[in-house]
Amino acid sequence: MTPTGCHPRLGYDCAQIMSNHYPERLGLAICIRPGSVFKVAWQAMKPFLPPATASKVCIVGNKSQLQPTLERYFSQTMTKWILDEYKSNRRKPESSRYRPFWMPQPDDEGGNPDPRGEKHYVEEWITTRHSSGHLPHPNVLDYVSGKLRASLSFSEPIDVLEVDLNEEDENCELDEATAGKILASLPEEYQIPANAEKLT
């Protein structure tokens, strides 16, 4: 993540779109080890967000906080699924193509999480029609009903690089003075406009 890819102006513009067109849609956003660049952008745009929205953003700065944070908000099985997904996404893929999210994990790839969700969710909301009327993503439904077939081959091997999940956490704690200096050094097009309004 770089300042040009994650900067205050981009964050503010995205927040403005969400505020104007999708108000009060956010339940909770958990940012896992986002790094110092994100934290600088977050510190710059947070004052422009409604307090109720800002309070729904939970930043997990290191691995030791991750599981306790997830357990605070999710069931044990969902917490395990998220942790497995996190670990899976930290590895270099074994194939040169990504498996579409609507396809279940093949039986021969045991140990990898089902990309559609944890087991209870898949059983209650995808493979059967839930009584609430909730429908999963159309691609998931089309794949389950046989309307959508996988046309990609996932058998192209590439070198596998296992990532050490016990690597040191990036030191992303920034004091306000340091964050302020970094913000001031960004080009003007990456800054939040001086006349920016507080979002409601």
Side-chain angles (χ1 to χ4, degrees), residues 90-94 158-164:
R90 296 279 295 165
R91 291 197 308 264
K92 187 174 180 180
E94 298 179 11
I158 59 174
D159 293 334
V160 177
L161 175 63
E162 287 292 332
V163 175
D164 180 7

Side-chain angles (χ1 to χ4, degrees), residues 69-86:
T69 300
L70 295 176
E71 288 173 343
R72 188 179 327 140
Y73 297 107
F74 303 108
S75 68
Q76 186 177 6
T77 55
M78 179 60 81
T79 295
K80 181 183 183 309
W81 181 82
I82 294 172
L83 289 171
D84 288 344
E85 273 288 294
Y86 173 72

Side-chain angles (χ1 to χ4, degrees), residues 118-133:
E118 57 98 13
K119 184 178 178 181
H120 179 264
Y121 174 81
V122 171
E123 290 174 351
E124 293 289 319
W125 299 83
I126 295 179
T127 57
T128 59
R129 186 175 292 268
H130 196 268
S131 59
S132 69

Side-chain angles (χ1 to χ4, degrees), residues 33 60-68 86 164-169:
R33 299 173 64 204
V60 179
N62 59 61
K63 292 186 297 294
S64 64
Q65 298 172 339
L66 180 55
Q67 186 163 343
Y86 173 72
D164 180 7
L165 296 177
N166 296 315
E167 84 275 20
E168 292 296 317
D169 283 306

